[in-house]
């Protein structure tokens, strides 16, 4: 979009915006593209929920900058390859209702997830746990049914109180954790307020689905911060605005095009490869993202300790795509017709339109079908799609491969939404999980990623950069590669008298 046209649009829309929500004057207001779906860490799987839950709950294990596990509220000892002992420390052990977090709460949280009747989407990554004991209030023992050197990295679910689990408490809308923030209220879907416990600062999350309106609200002071989900024109516009600060950094959020492999056409590997060759990723990255993304060949970025920097990309090759389609029985007279399910976010719609055009150039007719975020995500989890686009956010460890691609991880057991079923993939995942040598394990995961690129359960698209924009009086926010909201724990509003200082 031409910047001059964009400016006129912004000025025109300014008059359409209403006033601010009633709010405490010192609240830090964070604009979201979509609201969280659940504040229960045992069920949360969408990006907004996972990121906000990190502020509400404590976890046994955290990660360092290289995605290696480090102690969260517990440190651990491997007593033998199938027995891990976690010892709770002193920090982060007071729930927001005043009760103390103990080993019983840890056991109850993970026992709940492991119970198939509860249909937790996180269960598939934890089925190697045979049993859990809590010999004393500070000690939790995990006994495994098979060795897995990565096991501590799986224990990243927020801990909830055992007595509230037993009472059937609704954590999805009334979270009780022991994290650095506590819920104040969630009076409507589009408005959520937390209190930062260290200093009682209020953090308010406001859903503003339209990116242009989100930017306008930032400019008008109705919100203080926004992160990601912005077209490049708006990012450039904000970077030039006085009184607005923009941060960028390379990200690890993995975007992909997913397939329903139960569909007769998409079950054919040649058709999936044709689609991969029909997509001009470099042009999309340059024109729609203004180069604020990089091509992806695998779920893990190449700099990850288990990433594969040697993968060969599917280059843009329309003639080869047409040849593969012809071999599968499709032609100009009998084109491949597909439905592409997407959210109604304006930028994602625009991106989908470009992909639709590129696929049409090779003879694939694509009909776009868009819904609000909740309906869209529900359809994807239920398998009601042919094509869809989503992103994996916050991925730290390669256990994601079991969750996303193992044949036993069909929803609700996991996130193998396309019903990918491949014996070699299952075998490589299982071999990597039991490998005791880190170098051997990394090698197996690199082989797995090469195989996934060859078989294409999804088409890897790109890793989007992380972008954060705030008003000039907002300081202290750190933008992380995985796009989490942990920076809000240090963010503050600079006093008005200091805003003009360098």
């Amino acid at each position: 979009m031409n910047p001059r046209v964009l400016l006129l649009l912004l000025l025109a829309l300014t008059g359409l915006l209403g006033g601010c929500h009633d709010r405490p004057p010192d609240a830090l207001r964070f604009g979201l593209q979509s609201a969280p779906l659940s504040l229960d860490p045992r069920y949360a799987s969408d990006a907004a929920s996972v990121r906000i839950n990190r502020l509400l709950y404590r976890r046994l294990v955290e990660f360092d900058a290289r995605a290696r596990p480090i102690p969260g509220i517990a440190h651990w000892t491997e007593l033998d390859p199938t027995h891990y002992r976690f010892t709770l420390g002193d920090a982060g052990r007071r729930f927001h209702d005043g009760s103390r977090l103990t080993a019983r709460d840890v056991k109850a949280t993970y026992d709940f997830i492991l119970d198939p009747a509860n249909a937790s989407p996180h269960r598939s990554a934890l089925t190697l746990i045979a049993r859990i004991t809590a010999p004393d209030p500070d000690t939790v023992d995990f006994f495994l049914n098979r060795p897995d050197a990565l096991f501590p990295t799986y224990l990243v679910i927020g801990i909830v109180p055992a007595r509230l689990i037993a009472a059937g408490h609704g954590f999805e809308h009334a979270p009780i954790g022991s994290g650095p923030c506590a819920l104040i209220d969630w009076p409507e879907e589009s408005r959520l307020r937390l209190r930062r416990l260290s200093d009682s600062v209020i953090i308010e999350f406001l859903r503003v689905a339209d990116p242009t309106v989100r930017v306008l609200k930032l400019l008008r002071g109705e919100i203080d911060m926004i992160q990601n989900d912005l077209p490049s024109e708006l990012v450039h516009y904000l970077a030039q605005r006085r009184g607005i600060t923009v941060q960028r950094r390379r990200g690890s959020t993995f975007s992909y095009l997913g397939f329903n492999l139960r569909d007769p056409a998409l079950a054919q590997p040649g058709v999936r490869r044709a689609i991969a060759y029909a997509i001009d990723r470099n042009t999309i990255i340059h024109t729609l993202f203004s180069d604020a993304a990089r091509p992806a060949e695998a779920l893990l970025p190449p700099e990850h300790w288990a990433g594969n920097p040697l993968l060969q990309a599917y280059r843009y090759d329309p003639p080869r795509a047409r040849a593969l389609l012809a071999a599968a029985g499709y032609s100009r007279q009998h084109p491949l017709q597909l439905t592409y399910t997407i959210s109604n976010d304006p930028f994602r719609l625009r991106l989908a339109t470009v992909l639709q055009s590129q696929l049409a150039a090779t003879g694939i007719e694509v009909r776009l079908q868009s819904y609000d975020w909740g309906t869209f995500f529900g359809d994807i989890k239920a398998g009601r799609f042919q094509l869809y686009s989503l992103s994996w956010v916050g991925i730290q460890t390669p256990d994601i491969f079991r969750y996303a691609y193992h044949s036993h991880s069909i929803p609700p057991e996991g996130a193998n939404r396309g019903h990918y079923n491949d014996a070699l993939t299952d075998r490589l995942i299982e071999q990597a999980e039991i490998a005791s040598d880190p170098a051997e394990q990394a090698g197996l995961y690199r082989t797995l990623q090469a195989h996934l690129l060859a078989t294409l359960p999804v088409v890897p698209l790109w890793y989007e950069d992380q972008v954060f924009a705030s008003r000039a009086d907002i300081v202290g926010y750190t933008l992380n590669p995985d796009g989490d909201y942990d920076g809000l724990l240090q963010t503050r509003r600079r006093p008005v008298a200091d805003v003009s200082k360098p």
Side-chain angles (χ1 to χ4, degrees), residues 150-170:
L150 285 178
F151 174 68
T153 69
Y154 304 163
L155 302 182
V156 291
I157 306 298
I159 305 303
V160 297
R163 64 178 182 81
L164 294 182
I165 294 175
H169 180 79

Side-chain angles (χ1 to χ4, degrees), residues 49-332:
S49 299
V50 170
R51 287 165 170 165
I52 292 174
N53 279 343
R54 284 186 56 82
L55 306 176
L56 293 167
Y57 299 92
R58 302 280 186 175
R59 296 152 296 279
L60 293 179
V61 176
E62 297 289 351
F63 295 94
D64 64 16
R66 298 186 59 212
R68 297 287 186 176
I70 58 175
I73 59 171
H75 63 272
W76 62 89
T77 304
E78 181 183 340
L79 299 181
D80 66 51
T82 59
H83 182 190
Y84 285 78
R85 171 161 291 172
F86 282 74
T87 304
L88 298 173
D90 295 325
R93 294 188 60 183
R94 184 66 58 188
F95 284 119
H96 300 151
D97 64 357
S99 61
R100 183 169 173 77
L101 188 158
T102 70
R104 177 172 171 263
D105 302 302
V106 176
K107 172 177 165 54
T109 297
Y110 281 96
D111 280 344
F112 182 95
I113 293 169
L114 289 168
D115 185 346
N118 296 321
S120 168
H122 306 297
R123 178 176 176 270
S124 65
L126 298 169
T127 53
L128 78 167
I129 298 174
R131 61 188 177 93
I132 307 169
T133 63
D136 63 60
D138 298 326
T139 306
V140 188
D141 284 340
F142 290 87
F143 298 89
L144 313 184
N145 52 39
R146 56 178 169 79
D148 188 336
L150 285 178
F151 174 68
T153 69
Y154 304 163
L155 302 182
V156 291
I157 306 298
I159 305 303
V160 297
R163 64 178 182 81
L164 294 182
I165 294 175
H169 180 79
F171 292 98
E172 67 276 8
H173 285 98
I176 302 293
S178 64
C181 295
L183 179 73
I184 298 175
D185 58 18
W186 195 356
E188 52 191 301
E189 179 193 4
S190 60
R191 185 184 180 203
L192 170 71
R193 296 196 306 158
L194 309 182
R195 175 178 286 109
R196 197 164 64 190
L197 299 181
S198 62
D199 54 12
S200 295
V201 166
I202 294 172
I203 301 171
E204 189 170 30
F205 292 96
L206 299 169
R207 180 179 64 83
V208 185
D210 186 275
T212 301
V213 177
R214 209 177 314 131
V215 165
L216 281 168
K217 286 182 176 287
L218 178 68
L219 294 174
R220 287 168 57 93
E222 296 183 29
I223 55 178
D224 300 306
M225 299 164 275
I226 54 180
Q227 183 171 308
N228 297 330
D229 301 306
L230 294 173
S232 59
E233 301 97 319
L234 288 176
V235 175
H236 287 308
Y237 178 77
L238 286 172
Q240 297 168 5
R241 294 288 294 183
R242 184 179 179 86
I244 299 294
T245 300
V246 175
Q247 296 182 43
R248 304 170 189 253
R249 71 174 299 171
R250 174 173 280 193
S252 59
T253 296
F254 170 74
S255 295
Y256 64 93
L257 181 69
F259 301 118
N260 189 333
L261 301 181
R262 293 173 297 177
D263 182 272
L266 296 172
Q268 301 178 64
V271 169
R272 301 199 298 275
R273 286 196 291 272
I275 292 172
Y277 284 120
I279 297 174
D280 187 352
R281 296 182 301 164
N282 289 329
T283 295
I284 292 173
I285 288 171
H286 180 66
T287 57
L288 268 67
F289 291 93
S290 294
D291 299 315
R294 51 182 169 142
E297 272 69 59
L299 199 158
L300 296 179
E303 64 270 16
H304 190 281
W305 66 266
N308 188 338
L310 303 179
L311 295 176
Q312 297 297 311
Y314 285 85
R315 66 187 183 280
Y316 178 52
D317 192 342
R320 190 166 185 179
R322 284 190 284 268
L324 286 166
L325 289 170
Y330 299 100
S331 64
R332 187 180 300 275

